[in-house]
C-alpha cells in the first residue's frame, strides 16, 4: 500500500543427506503426533513453540532453549538445557548420549549455527522429526 519495496533474505534450508533419518512434517502439531510413545526427545524449537507438546505425557523432553524461561514450562516430563547449541557435532553427540535421546524435533532453520545436532544424529543413526518451512 505504501509502495515501499520489501526484500526478504533467508538461509538455505538444510538438505537431507545420505544417512539422515528425517521424518519431514509440515507443522509443530504434526511433529507432536508422530513422536513414538516412550521416546526421549531433544526438543530444539524455542520456548514459544513448546506448548503443543504438553499433552505428550508418555514422552520425555530435553528442552534446549537459549534463555531461562520466565515461567515454568507446561511439559509434564522434561528437563531444561539452557544455552545455545554447540557447533561441534561431537559435543552435540555427547548431549544426546548422556540424555539417552532417541529422537530430535527441530525446525529446518538452515544455516550452520545449529547444524551440528543434525550431523550428530546422522552419525548416531537417530531419527530427526524435521518441521519443514512454509512454502
Amino acid at each position: 500500500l505504501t509502495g515501499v519495496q520489501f526484500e526478504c533474505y533467508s538461509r538455505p534450508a538444510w538438505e537431507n543427506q545420505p544417512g539422515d533419518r528425517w521424518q519431514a512434517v509440515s507443522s509443530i502439531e504434526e511433529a507432536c503426533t508422530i513422536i513414538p510413545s516412550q521416546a526421549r526427545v531433544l526438543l530444539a524449537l524455542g520456548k514459544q513453540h513448546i506448548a503443543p507438546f504438553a499433552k505428550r505425557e508418555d514422552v520425555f523432553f530435553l528442552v534446549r532453549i537459549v534463555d531461562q524461561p520466565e515461567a515454568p514450562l507446561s511439559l509434564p516430563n522434561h528437563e531444561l538445557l539452557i544455552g545455545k547449541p554447540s557447533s561441534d557435532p561431537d559435543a552435540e553427540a555427547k548431549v544426546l548420549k548422556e540424555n539417552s535421546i532417541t529422537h530430535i524435533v527441530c525446525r529446518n532453520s538452515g544455516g550452520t549455527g545449529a547444524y551440528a545436532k543434525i550431523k550428530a544424529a546422522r552419525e548416531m543413526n537417530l531419527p530427526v522429526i524435521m518441521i519443514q518451512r512454509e512454502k
Side-chain angles (χ1 to χ4, degrees):
L1 293 171
T2 64
V4 174
Q5 294 288 326
F6 179 75
E7 209 168 320
C8 180
Y9 294 96
S10 63
R11 299 177 286 222
W14 295 323
E15 298 290 332
N16 199 334
Q17 302 294 316
D20 284 338
R21 294 182 55 202
W22 291 8
Q23 291 178 267
V25 297
S26 60
S27 69
I28 290 170
E29 291 75 20
E30 185 181 356
C32 183
T33 63
I34 69 168
I35 298 170
S37 182
Q38 305 307 310
R40 293 183 59 86
V41 176
L42 171 63
L43 198 56
L45 295 174
K47 61 187 168 194
Q48 69 274 23
H49 302 292
I50 292 173
F53 297 91
K55 61 186 172 190
R56 292 302 307 267
E57 295 181 9
D58 60 331
V59 175
F60 168 84
F61 294 101
L62 178 63
V63 182
R64 178 164 52 203
I65 53 178
V66 175
D67 300 310
Q68 182 72 35
E70 295 174 10
L73 300 180
S74 61
L75 293 174
N77 190 14
H78 76 280
E79 287 184 25
L80 281 176
L81 179 59
I82 306 295
K84 292 183 178 181
S86 174
S87 59
D88 177 10
D90 292 335
E92 290 293 281
K94 182 178 178 188
V95 168
L96 298 172
K97 289 175 187 172
E98 286 177 349
N99 291 280
S100 303
I101 298 301
T102 62
H103 293 75
I104 296 175
V105 174
C106 64
R107 290 175 291 145
N108 192 334
S109 59
T112 58
Y115 191 69
K117 68 178 170 280
I118 305 301
K119 284 185 178 179
R122 182 182 310 127
E123 292 169 9
M124 296 173 65
N125 198 32
L126 291 180
V128 175
I129 299 171
M130 184 69 71
I131 303 166
Q132 299 300 313
R133 295 176 175 186
E134 291 183 17
K135 294 186 180 191

